[in-house]
Structures are given as C-alpha cells and as structure tokens.
C-alpha cells in the first residue's frame, strides 16, 4: 500500500533506527516500486532524516554520556504533567524535537499534545504554533497532517544543527557545512549543542579527538548566537576546521528586523558586518555565509 508505505517511512525517518527491510519472499517494496509521486514523498522523508544527522549524532553522544534515551516518551521530559504519562503515540528526539507520526490510512489531521511550558515551531514552516492554555499544563491541538506532512516541532529555546547538501551517503557529508536553526523561547533565549569527531574511528576515546560546540542565544543581551568550544585535546580536530563551517543561521520567532548584525571572533577585535535577510510576516531571520567554524569561538550580535 503506497499510502502506508509513505507513512511508515515518514515515521521511521524520526526514529533512531532508519532502515527498510523485509523477508526475502515478501512482495518487493523498494521506494521506486510505488510510482513517482510516492517516491518523491519517500525521498523527502529520507532527506529530512539525513539533514538531521548532526543532531542525531549529538543526541546519541549525549545518551552515551548521560544515559538518557535518544527517543524519549513525553513524561521523561515533562514529569510534572501527569496527563502525558500514558501518551504513546508521540515522542521526543532528545529534548528538542517533538514528533507525532501518522501511521493510519486516510489521516488528514492529527491531535498533538503540546506542553505549554515551552513554545513550539513547525519544522517545515518555521512558524510558532499558536497555543492557548495555562502555563505548566498542555494543549491538545489538531494539526494538518495530509500525506505530504510529517508533524514535527522544534522546542522554543533550542538550537539544532542540520546539513542540507544532498549526498549519496552520510560519509560524503562529513565536510559539508552546517545550517543552524534557532527557535527562540518566550524570553528570547535559546541554547544547543553540536558534538563532532571524525565519525569513523574511536579516536574520540583513545586520543580525546573530539569537539563540542555550545551555541547560545540571548536577544535581551543583543546576542543572536555565540559559540563556546570544548576540545577533548588541545589539538583535537584542528585539521578539520575548514570542514566544520557554518553556512547559514536561521532564527525563528524574531520579532523585528535588526538594523545591523556584526560578527566578533575570539582572536580579533574587529567587528565584521554580516548580511542578512528578514521576513516581517514569518518573523524569520536568515544569516547567510557568516564564514565561521563550529570549532572556533565567536559571537554574532545585534548592533544598535
């Protein structure tokens, strides 16, 4: 069934294990067996999965350090909301992505339970979800979930890395630049982490060859985003700085257009103006080609 094949592929794209397989005697189910229209949808789900690999890699590292699951039930992140204890049809990836998979035929709408203690942004439209309810509770909201829609939402207050170049395999993505997605919370702040190693060997354990970028935003202090870097060893990943560049920064929930944006690096006193685009209707700010590495310390600020 092309519809359910699409739905299950969409659901799997936002789970830790992403693989289609079957018994060798079962009916063939490669993506191209269901027609061009379905193949496009399956490709879109796979592309969403691969774009998030830097986030998945980071969350798996966090899981190895803290023991927290990569895929979390709602109550694990929101233990103060008893109504979420029995919810088993939506979940979180790490702490920052809320996923409501559609797994039934004919569905065009879904009910998502949004914890009201956080605000949420649709990952496709990058628009803030309109919620109404008392702080500390949850809001049950019906959202559109036609066959082309995967209901996924980024938590306000989070910063998530992606890689958007289309490649044939993940090994070809290692030197691709990052796009950083900032979802501002109600206090106009956000934070997030990017874990990096060579993605191949155990040198992160044997030689401390790894880097951890900690991104933070605080518009109340005019900081759009700043980066603090922790290296396992002082020489960790130093040969790959050019392969850890950031090509785009997207800020969701930006209330007004900045007059000027400047970049300041740790090793220079110079303040470099940066080009940007702002959309008044969507409240989205896009900074293109800031020319900074995730392995360097820097800050991008609003200039008065």
């Amino acid at each position: 069934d092309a519809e359910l094949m699409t739905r299950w592929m969409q659901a799997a794209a936002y789970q830790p294990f992403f693989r289609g397989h079957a018994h060798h005697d079962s009916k063939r189910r490669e993506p191209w067996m269901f027609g061009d229209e379905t193949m496009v949808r399956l490709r879109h789900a796979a592309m969403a999965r691969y774009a998030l690999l830097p986030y998945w890699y980071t969350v798996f590292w966090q899981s190895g350090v803290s023991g927290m699951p990569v895929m979390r039930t709602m109550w694990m992140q929101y233990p103060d909301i008893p109504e979420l204890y029995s919810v088993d049809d939506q979940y979180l990836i790490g702490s920052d992505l809320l996923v409501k998979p559609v797994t039934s035929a004919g569905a065009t709408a879904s009910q998502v339970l949004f914890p009201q203690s956080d605000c949420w942004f649709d990952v496709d439209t990058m628009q803030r979800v309109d919620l109404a309810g008392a702080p500390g509770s949850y809001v049950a909201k019906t959202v559109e979930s036609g066959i082309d829609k995967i209901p996924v939402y980024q938590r306000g207050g989070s910063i998530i890395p992606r890689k958007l170049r289309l490649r044939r395999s993940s090994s070809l993505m290692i030197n691709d630049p990052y796009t950083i997605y900032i979802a501002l919370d109600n206090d106009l702040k956000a934070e997030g982490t990017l874990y990096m190693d060579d993605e191949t060997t155990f040198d992160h354990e044997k030689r401390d060859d790894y880097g951890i970028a900690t991104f933070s935003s605080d518009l109340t202090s005019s900081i759009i985003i700043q980066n603090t870097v922790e290296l396992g060893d002082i020489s960790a990943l130093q040969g790959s700085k050019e392969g850890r560049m950031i090509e785009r920064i997207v800020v969701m929930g930006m209330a007004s257009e900045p007059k000027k944006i400047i970049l300041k690096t740790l090793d220079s006193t110079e303040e470099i103006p940066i080009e940007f685009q702002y959309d008044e209707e969507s409240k989205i700010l896009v900074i293109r080609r800031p020319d900074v590495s995730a392995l360097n310390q820097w800050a991008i600020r609003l200039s008065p």
Side-chain angles (χ1 to χ4, degrees):
D1 181 84
E3 181 186 6
L4 288 180
M5 176 68 178
T6 300
R7 289 306 198 182
W8 283 102
M9 185 69 81
Q10 290 173 341
Y14 287 93
Q15 294 188 16
F17 191 62
F18 182 53
R19 177 190 174 196
H21 68 101
H23 189 272
H24 62 83
D25 289 330
S26 63
K27 186 177 179 180
R28 290 183 63 182
R29 59 190 70 184
E30 292 91 345
W32 53 86
M33 298 296 295
F34 298 88
D36 290 345
E37 188 176 1
T38 297
M39 186 173 68
V40 169
R41 293 184 177 121
L42 299 184
R43 181 187 290 124
H44 181 268
M47 289 169 61
R49 167 62 172 217
Y50 274 76
L52 272 173
L53 284 183
Y55 180 68
W56 282 107
Y57 206 73
T58 299
V59 175
F60 268 97
W61 165 74
Q62 290 171 333
S63 178
V65 172
S66 70
M68 283 290 283
V70 172
M71 182 176 173
R72 305 176 188 175
T73 55
M74 297 296 296
W75 63 263
M76 292 194 73
Q77 205 65 38
Y78 298 94
D80 296 332
I81 308 178
E83 293 86 351
L84 298 180
Y85 290 177
S86 61
V87 174
D88 60 3
D89 59 354
Q90 67 179 60
Y91 54 87
L92 293 158
I93 303 170
S95 61
D96 299 335
L97 285 180
L98 191 162
V99 183
K100 172 75 175 191
V102 180
T103 56
S104 58
T108 58
S110 302
Q111 187 179 78
V112 181
L113 306 183
F114 292 98
Q116 182 69 4
S117 55
D118 289 308
C119 56
W120 301 89
F121 292 81
D122 186 304
V123 298
D124 294 322
T125 65
M126 294 185 284
Q127 295 302 289
R128 180 168 170 159
V129 179
D130 184 16
L131 301 176
S137 65
Y138 71 95
V139 175
K141 185 177 181 67
T142 299
V143 301
E144 187 275 328
S145 59
I147 190 65
D148 293 305
K149 177 64 177 176
I150 312 173
V152 182
Y153 304 89
Q154 182 173 341
R155 182 181 61 82
S158 67
I159 300 177
I160 288 181
R162 284 181 173 87
K163 289 188 175 183
L164 304 183
R165 306 285 176 89
L166 183 60
R167 301 295 188 188
R168 293 182 179 180
S169 69
S170 60
S171 62
L172 298 177
M173 297 170 59
I174 188 168
N175 291 320
D176 284 350
Y178 299 100
T179 294
I180 306 299
Y181 289 83
I182 304 171
L184 296 172
D185 65 12
N186 294 323
D187 296 322
L188 303 180
K189 298 179 181 180
E191 60 182 9
T193 303
L194 171 61
Y195 172 80
M196 296 163 284
D197 59 27
D198 65 14
E199 301 181 13
T200 303
T201 71
F202 284 93
D203 283 353
H204 60 287
E205 292 182 349
K206 296 177 180 179
R207 301 179 181 179
D208 289 333
D209 192 23
Y210 66 86
I212 304 168
T214 301
F215 303 115
S216 60
S217 298
D218 185 357
L219 291 191
T220 61
S221 299
S222 298
I223 300 172
I224 297 177
I225 181 172
Q226 64 181 7
N227 186 33
T228 303
V229 180
E230 175 189 343
L231 298 177
D233 182 83
I234 193 170
S235 62
L237 299 178
Q238 292 306 293
S240 64
K241 281 190 175 183
E242 294 302 317
R244 309 287 178 163
M245 300 301 288
I246 294 172
E247 70 172 346
R248 187 182 298 106
I249 298 169
V250 180
V251 185
M252 294 171 269
M254 191 82 176
S256 59
E257 181 175 3
K259 295 180 180 179
K260 184 180 179 182
I261 294 177
I262 57 172
L263 165 68
K264 186 161 187 321
T265 61
L266 185 66
D267 55 0
S268 174
T269 59
E270 183 182 5
E271 295 184 342
I272 305 170
I274 296 182
E275 294 185 2
F276 63 90
Q277 294 177 336
Y278 177 76
D279 186 276
E280 177 67 31
E281 183 177 357
S282 65
K283 308 298 181 186
I284 295 173
L285 172 70
V286 179
I287 301 172
R288 299 184 187 275
R289 302 189 68 179
D291 196 29
V292 291
S293 170
L295 288 172
N296 285 335
Q297 299 195 149
W298 41 264
I300 295 176
R301 298 173 175 268
L302 298 171
S303 180

